[in-house]
Amino acid sequence: MQNFRNYYEILGIPREASTEEIKQSYRKLARQYHPDLNPGNKEAEEKFKDIGEAYEVLSDPDKRAQYDQFSRYWKQTGFQAGTTATKGNAWDSDRGGGSGVNFGDFSDFNSFIDTLIGNRSTRVTTGTQNRTTTSTNPFRPGTTKTAYTVNSRAARKDAEARLSLPLDKAYLGGQERVRLEDGRSLEVNMPPGMVTGQRIRLRGQGVAGGDLYLKIEVQPHGFFRLEGADIYCELPITPSEAVLGAQVEVPTLDGAVKMTIRSGAKSGQRLRLANKGYLTDDGKRGDQIVELQIVVPKDPDPQERELYEKLRHLETFDPRANLPV
């Protein structure tokens, strides 16, 4: 049996899954199997690579369509134990693949897919002539779209570089272009939910084929403050919203959500938005803690000032009535 890569099975989703379902499954699995959370676990490391490869193909409509089309051929006769096939085994030209492909040129389905989609370097032997197709693997985490030759005789050495990311990008993960001090520019598939101090390994991108470790630094955010898996923020409200209560919009990493403020709210009071925090190691979410801050207008217009004057003469509440002096 050929080692067919079933991307839908790898992500645990049906073939008709939506883009959002693909993204949700990837986030959960990538967090679960990330090498930094499974140190020394080779099985988890390989699983993480497979998850990244599956996501990169299925999250792209064009690549997904190609994959669905080409995967029909994984049992093609030419793939079976490297059996030589004739030109008649090529797929139909009206399917978009073009005619004249000899399936006997490929030892298995994987090399066929890799060559068609440009997944990785593949050597094809036809008769007495060798033909080498070189491309990099954009579907595995930590790979670059720019191929270059590494001298195998040189001493391999790991390297480290710092990558500073805004909080929203660290939360979402995904494709990120990284420019290194040596001038190289790499496009890296980052896991979701990255935190300061985390290291991302880019295999083969160090010195002479060694590994490159990206040390993550999450930049301070102007509104959100990350503490563990919880996100804290201060939300300004008006005096009337505090006294009467209101329904207000609160920014979150997933977009604005509605939150109800009950009447009699106080400055410093904290409200909790469940499951709107940061990603945890098990793929769940922390909470967002919203601290209310009552803000008064600095320069009210004449009509507002008149209303405040009337309120001052009408109000019976004295906040200084029970001072302990």
Side-chain angles (χ1 to χ4, degrees):
M1 183 68 67
Q2 300 297 330
N3 52 340
F4 170 55
R5 297 196 296 276
N6 190 328
Y7 294 147
Y8 293 99
E9 185 176 298
I10 289 172
L11 293 182
I13 55 176
R15 295 186 70 88
E16 63 274 9
S18 66
T19 302
E20 185 60 31
E21 288 172 329
I22 293 171
K23 183 183 298 184
Q24 289 177 355
S25 179
Y26 164 72
R27 285 178 178 172
K28 179 180 179 181
L29 293 174
R31 188 70 178 173
Q32 180 180 350
Y33 290 101
H34 196 278
D36 287 347
L37 303 179
N38 300 273
N41 188 334
K42 296 295 183 182
E43 184 177 348
E45 183 178 327
E46 291 303 315
K47 181 74 173 177
F48 178 73
K49 295 174 186 175
D50 291 340
I51 292 166
E53 178 177 306
Y55 176 70
E56 285 304 315
V57 173
L58 298 185
S59 64
D60 185 302
D62 293 334
K63 292 175 184 176
R64 182 179 181 181
Q66 282 184 312
Y67 172 78
D68 289 342
Q69 175 189 333
F70 297 152
S71 60
R72 297 189 300 112
Y73 297 96
W74 78 280
K75 289 185 178 181
Q76 191 75 23
T77 304
F79 293 147
Q80 306 304 312
T83 304
T84 301
T86 65
K87 297 289 185 179
N89 285 334
W91 71 84
D92 297 334
S93 60
D94 60 352
R95 293 287 184 180
S99 60
V101 172
N102 186 355
F103 290 100
D105 288 348
F106 305 93
S107 59
D108 56 22
F109 174 78
N110 284 349
S111 61
F112 173 57
I113 282 289
D114 291 339
T115 301
L116 289 177
I117 306 182
N119 197 351
R120 65 181 69 158
S121 298
T122 306
R123 179 172 294 277
V124 180
T125 303
T126 55
T128 59
Q129 200 174 21
N130 288 337
R131 181 174 75 254
T132 302
T133 302
T134 303
S135 61
T136 55
N137 180 359
F139 309 138
R140 287 195 184 277
T143 56
T144 171
K145 290 184 178 179
T146 304
Y148 60 94
T149 302
V150 176
N151 185 357
S152 59
R153 296 181 181 179
R156 295 187 178 186
K157 183 179 178 181
D158 292 344
E160 184 174 279
R162 293 183 180 274
L163 177 60
S164 182
L165 292 169
L167 179 62
D168 53 348
K169 283 192 176 182
Y171 165 71
L172 291 173
Q175 292 274 326
E176 182 71 19
R177 181 163 292 280
V178 181
R179 186 168 296 279
L180 304 179
E181 293 179 357
D182 61 8
R184 284 185 295 154
S185 180
L186 307 179
E187 192 166 284
V188 182
N189 188 28
M190 312 296 282
M194 291 176 287
V195 295
T196 295
Q198 182 176 344
R199 296 205 309 168
I200 307 296
R201 184 172 73 169
L202 308 184
R203 180 173 293 178
Q205 299 298 336
V207 179
D211 295 337
L212 173 64
Y213 290 87
L214 292 180
K215 190 171 183 179
I216 302 300
E217 178 183 348
V218 180
Q219 301 167 3
H221 194 276
F223 182 72
F224 300 116
R225 185 177 78 256
L226 182 61
E227 292 186 14
D230 291 334
I231 291 176
Y232 289 76
C233 66
E234 294 182 356
L235 184 72
I237 61 173
T238 67
S240 60
E241 289 173 332
V243 173
L244 303 175
Q247 192 173 54
V248 297
E249 282 195 347
V250 182
T252 74
L253 288 174
D254 298 316
V257 299
K258 292 283 188 179
M259 184 181 73
T260 299
I261 299 175
R262 297 186 182 277
S263 60
K266 302 175 182 178
S267 265
Q269 181 178 345
R270 290 184 171 183
L271 304 178
R272 183 182 300 270
L273 295 175
N275 299 318
K276 286 299 180 182
Y278 217 61
L279 292 168
T280 61
D281 293 346
D282 57 3
K284 297 180 180 179
R285 296 279 297 274
D287 299 331
Q288 181 165 324
I289 311 300
V290 181
E291 183 175 305
L292 302 180
Q293 295 292 331
I294 300 175
V295 179
V296 300
K298 291 183 178 181
D299 187 21
D301 63 30
Q303 187 176 7
E304 288 176 319
R305 180 174 290 277
E306 182 181 352
L307 290 174
Y308 275 111
E309 289 285 354
K310 290 181 179 180
L311 178 62
R312 183 164 61 179
H313 288 92
L314 290 173
E315 63 186 359
T316 58
F317 172 65
D318 183 1
R320 297 173 295 280
N322 296 315
L323 292 178
V325 291

